[in-house]
Amino acid sequence: MLYNLTSVPQSLMLNPGADFKYSYYFGVPMLSGFSFKVGSSGFSAYDLFANDGVDFNQKLRKVVNSTTRNDHAAINEQIELLNGGFKLGDWLEDKGYLSFGLYQEFDFWNYVPKDPLVLALYGNQNYIGKSFDLSDISVKAEVLTVLHLGYHKNIADNFIVGARGKIYFSGFNASSTQNSGYILTRPSSTTMYEQIVRSNLTLNTSGVSKYLEDDYNGDTASDVQNQLLFGGDMGLGFDLGFTYYPKKNTQITASILDVGFVKHTKDVANYTYSGIYKYEGINPSFTSTDDPDGVYSDFNEAIKRDTLYNKYTTWRPVKLNASYQYSYGVSKDEDCVCEAGEKPFKNAVGAQLFIMSTPRLPITALTGFYQRNISNKLQLKATYTLDSYSYTNIGLGLSARLGAFNMYFMGDNLLGYRDLSKSQSLSFQFGFNFIFKDSNEPPSRY
């Protein structure tokens, strides 16, 4: 929704090479930008928790049967703590534009562990010879703070480029995405069945383990606050983007965001569950209360649970954006201080492609949009998006100015608001800024 809506300063965060024409701006601290997104492909909350008299286990089985290992649940939240930018040089000597800020982000991603869920729900009786894949287990969560500095410049009348450097401060991280192994039951030539468990499971954590220790006696609230604000693990990243006008009313943009990593070295704990176990017989018991043949102790000896303290690196989810826009209808807004032929267009239509990397397969979204300049103080944007969550995703966005004060509100998948429990995705964002325009500066072409 916010991509390339250049009446809003936060559009620079989605494309550091956006056609942004204001002299300087600053956001209202803690309120300049807030966004929240939640989505689940393949199922909704209603499928699991509907008050329809159907047993939960039955609904869970139905969801598991209807999903694949590539279905997922995701949550993302961002809060801008500080944000600002200003033009370098005057309008006769364009030296580019500098933007900077600080934001906090929470990111969660979990694939449906299809095979382990099938085994847990149905057992192995009807799946003799099937290998239940433990690599289906893939989950990650992180809370971090990002300090950033961006620069963009018109290198030609119709070509703008930009870049943004980022320093990541990871307060908390939990990642289990490189798992492998299987659980297999097959006929045996000597006994009835052979059970094989090959496990290589790892959960990497940083910034978490000290709070789980029995002898922890710190101030949790103070420690968490310090950890989130520059106290966690560090990493580096960058964004790149451009805007190109092949014609005055035609625009092409693209950006790549969050090409970066975090090196986890503080309060690191790696929980592993690795080894190979074989058992010949009918049904081994993996409980310590009933262990006549030493099955439980043999299993624990073969599949070792251990805690290591090795440093590890995580990569940020890389995001790609690209758009094509056609503008038409010259604005007749008399409030615009423009030279002849430089008034912005009133309407624009176009398409945007979004791609994001994930631990397994990239996700994509294709959006068609219509933008309208009601005046130089009020812009509207309507979108229709095809993605992995919905084929009926309609969104609306509003950007308005009152003097130097700017506010924006945007919501996605509006049809889902009729019943949120049945909606597979929800996204909204808003923010408040102060924007100051140089009267000698021509407007962006839209």
Side-chain angles (χ1 to χ4, degrees), residues 249-316:
N249 65 337
T250 305
Q251 181 196 72
I252 298 172
T253 76
S255 67
I256 181 170
L257 310 176
D258 279 322
V259 181
F261 67 93
V262 176
K263 183 69 175 180
H264 299 276
T265 61
K266 300 178 181 178
D267 191 21
V268 172
N270 323 108
Y271 304 100
T272 64
Y273 200 63
S274 301
I276 302 175
Y277 175 76
K278 292 184 178 181
Y279 173 83
E280 292 194 4
I282 298 178
N283 187 27
S285 175
F286 296 112
T287 67
S288 58
T289 56
D290 184 15
D291 189 23
D293 298 320
V295 173
Y296 178 76
S297 57
D298 290 347
F299 178 80
N300 279 337
E301 183 64 26
I303 308 292
K304 293 184 178 296
R305 290 170 289 183
D306 202 357
T307 302
L308 307 175
Y309 304 95
N310 299 325
K311 301 175 184 178
Y312 66 98
T313 299
T314 58
W315 293 88
R316 299 292 298 146

Side-chain angles (χ1 to χ4, degrees), residues 46-293:
Y46 182 86
D47 295 330
L48 288 172
F49 304 108
N51 186 18
D52 54 5
V54 179
D55 181 73
F56 175 80
N57 290 330
Q58 184 177 340
K59 289 186 284 191
L60 179 59
R61 291 188 182 96
K62 184 177 179 180
V63 167
V64 171
N65 292 337
S66 65
T67 56
T68 72
R69 68 189 302 269
N70 291 323
D71 284 312
H72 62 268
I75 302 174
N76 180 268
E77 165 268 325
Q78 280 192 18
I79 300 176
E80 279 189 351
L81 307 178
L82 296 170
N83 193 22
F86 56 90
K87 184 180 177 183
L88 301 173
D90 56 36
W91 70 283
L92 292 174
E93 186 181 4
D94 183 9
K95 296 181 180 179
Y97 201 91
L98 198 68
S99 58
F100 56 90
L102 179 71
Y103 66 87
Q104 173 271 323
E105 181 174 6
F106 168 73
D107 192 46
F108 170 82
W109 185 277
N110 181 40
Y111 279 107
V112 174
K114 176 79 173 186
D115 272 10
L117 281 176
V118 170
L119 179 60
L121 288 171
Y122 296 101
N124 61 356
Q125 181 178 1
N126 297 320
Y127 296 94
I128 303 301
K130 173 179 171 55
S131 178
F132 291 93
D133 193 351
L134 297 182
S135 69
D136 283 4
I137 301 172
S138 181
V139 60
K140 65 175 185 175
E142 185 164 35
V143 181
L144 46 74
T145 303
V146 184
L147 180 66
H148 61 88
L149 179 67
Y151 175 79
H152 90 279
K153 180 177 173 58
N154 286 64
I155 61 174
D157 288 341
N158 63 342
F159 193 39
I160 306 165
V161 297
R164 182 175 307 279
K166 294 180 174 180
I167 302 176
Y168 303 111
F169 299 91
S170 175
F172 303 95
N173 176 268
S175 177
S176 182
T177 60
Q178 301 295 323
N179 298 308
S180 62
Y182 59 86
I183 299 175
L184 171 65
T185 302
R186 64 187 180 187
S188 171
S189 59
T190 56
T191 60
M192 187 168 292
Y193 295 111
E194 181 183 33
Q195 317 275 351
I196 303 175
V197 179
R198 181 186 292 269
S199 174
N200 186 19
L201 305 179
T202 301
L203 172 62
N204 294 318
T205 69
S206 67
V208 177
S209 63
K210 68 181 180 182
Y211 300 102
L212 304 178
E213 295 176 356
D214 294 334
D215 59 352
Y216 171 71
N217 58 2
D219 184 337
T220 304
S222 177
D223 288 349
V224 168
Q225 183 178 9
N226 292 333
Q227 202 164 312
L228 290 177
L229 292 175
F230 314 123
D233 296 306
M234 290 184 60
L236 297 173
F238 66 87
D239 305 339
L240 297 174
F242 73 86
T243 298
Y244 172 61
Y245 290 94
K247 298 179 181 179
K248 284 188 176 182
N249 65 337
T250 305
Q251 181 196 72
I252 298 172
T253 76
S255 67
I256 181 170
L257 310 176
D258 279 322
V259 181
F261 67 93
V262 176
K263 183 69 175 180
H264 299 276
T265 61
K266 300 178 181 178
D267 191 21
V268 172
N270 323 108
Y271 304 100
T272 64
Y273 200 63
S274 301
I276 302 175
Y277 175 76
K278 292 184 178 181
Y279 173 83
E280 292 194 4
I282 298 178
N283 187 27
S285 175
F286 296 112
T287 67
S288 58
T289 56
D290 184 15
D291 189 23
D293 298 320

Side-chain angles (χ1 to χ4, degrees), residues 11-33:
S11 61
L12 286 171
M13 297 301 299
L14 301 179
N15 181 4
D19 187 5
F20 190 76
K21 293 292 189 182
Y22 298 99
S23 181
Y24 65 97
Y25 75 91
F26 60 89
V28 178
M30 303 291 291
L31 293 174
S32 61

